[in-house]
Amino acid sequence: MEKLLDIGFLIESFPVIIQRLPMTVGIAVGAMVLGLLIGLATALIKIYQVPVLKTISSCYVSFIRGTPLLVQIYLVFYGIPKVIYYFQYEKGWLLSLDVNVIAPEIYALLAFSINLGAYLSETIRSAIESVDRGQFEAAKAIGMSPTQMMLKIIFPQALAVAIPNLGNMFISTIKDTSLVFIIGVIDIMGQAKILGSRGLVFFEVYIAVSIIYWIVCIIVERLLVKIEKRARRYERGVAS
């Protein structure tokens, strides 16, 4: 009689799946860093109403928010090599670049960064605009340059407002990395699928991978709570 749940196989699958955890976390962290840079640039373009770039950034945000992440991953994975080939053979550029040696992890990182940049831009923009306008005027009154004003006054206060949303986006990104297996990246979800297919024991490996995702997200959530508390203390210090 077939077992409902093979506990032994379930326990044995944990260390095998966890081996690929650095890949999952690495893509999520890398995408978050690049996404923050893209999001910050896009947010500042909208805030300062930069001609032409404002329209481009609005179209970018609208497109990303209006299309599934899965489609975006495919567009990056199949589109970038096509663009590179075009410039190589039609324009004679990028001849030293071989798309065949570009690891699928790079495409995954780019896709997630582009996706996060669009969503984070709105989070960053709203956080910056939530800072009291008097802070801007006070910084100008004491002779601060726009860069100094942003780095020393505005960004620290905006960060305290944005951290909860940034944390939620990061946790969602960790879970969304389960999609990267479709382009050949072996993360914890990909490892679970491979392991399960060997003996057609999918139920156990999916339980294992879900527990791993759950634990990782709990740890990240606890760290974010501590970061938010520190940011709030800094915000009160600036306000006083």
Side-chain angles (χ1 to χ4, degrees):
M1 183 177 178
E2 185 179 354
K3 294 181 180 179
L4 176 62
L5 183 66
D6 189 339
I7 299 295
F9 186 82
L10 173 61
I11 295 173
E12 291 173 2
S13 66
F14 274 100
V16 179
I17 296 172
I18 288 177
Q19 290 176 3
R20 305 305 298 180
L21 183 58
M23 178 63 69
T24 294
V25 176
I27 291 175
V29 172
M32 194 70 185
V33 172
L34 293 176
L36 280 170
L37 295 176
I38 297 171
L40 177 60
T42 305
L44 292 177
I45 287 171
K46 287 190 173 184
I47 290 172
Y48 288 105
Q49 300 289 304
V50 180
V52 182
L53 292 180
K54 177 180 178 293
T55 302
I56 295 173
S57 63
S58 295
C59 291
Y60 155 64
V61 172
S62 177
F63 177 80
I64 295 299
R65 297 180 70 174
T67 56
L69 175 58
L70 181 61
V71 174
Q72 294 163 22
I73 293 173
Y74 279 133
L75 286 174
V76 170
F77 185 67
Y78 292 107
I80 289 180
K82 197 172 184 67
V83 170
I84 292 175
Y85 276 129
Y86 172 79
F87 282 110
Q88 284 179 334
Y89 295 105
E90 296 293 332
K91 301 295 183 180
W93 302 347
L94 306 173
L95 294 177
S96 61
L97 182 60
D98 184 3
V99 295
N100 295 314
V101 301
I102 300 177
E105 292 84 357
I106 301 300
Y107 295 115
L109 180 61
L110 287 174
F112 275 85
S113 300
I114 293 168
N115 178 271
L116 274 172
Y119 287 95
L120 291 176
S121 68
E122 295 302 300
T123 297
I124 295 171
R125 183 177 62 83
S126 61
I128 291 174
E129 291 180 343
S130 71
V131 177
D132 190 284
R133 299 304 301 177
Q135 300 283 339
F136 289 85
E137 295 172 3
K140 290 179 182 178
I142 62 175
M144 280 189 173
S145 67
T147 302
Q148 290 175 322
M149 175 180 65
M150 281 293 179
L151 291 177
K152 296 182 178 181
I153 304 297
I154 307 305
F155 284 166
Q157 297 180 67
L159 179 62
V161 175
I163 281 176
N165 286 332
L166 295 180
N168 289 335
M169 288 297 300
F170 182 58
I171 290 173
S172 294
T173 301
I174 292 174
K175 293 182 290 185
D176 287 342
T177 56
S178 60
L179 295 172
V180 299
F181 184 62
I182 62 174
I183 58 172
V185 179
I186 311 300
D187 65 330
I188 59 175
M189 188 64 181
Q191 187 78 323
K193 289 180 178 179
I194 293 172
L195 186 60
S197 63
R198 290 174 182 170
L200 299 179
V201 189
F202 290 101
F203 185 44
E204 285 79 359
V205 295
Y206 287 147
I207 291 175
V209 78
S210 64
I211 291 173
I212 293 171
Y213 275 118
W214 183 32
I215 292 173
V216 170
C217 290
I218 288 174
I219 293 172
V220 171
E221 186 179 359
R222 295 290 185 270
L223 290 174
L224 289 170
V225 168
K226 292 183 178 181
I227 293 173
E228 185 178 359
K229 287 181 179 178
R230 284 181 176 272
R232 291 294 182 186
R233 284 202 296 268
Y234 181 82
E235 181 186 30
R236 288 194 293 269
V238 171
S240 62

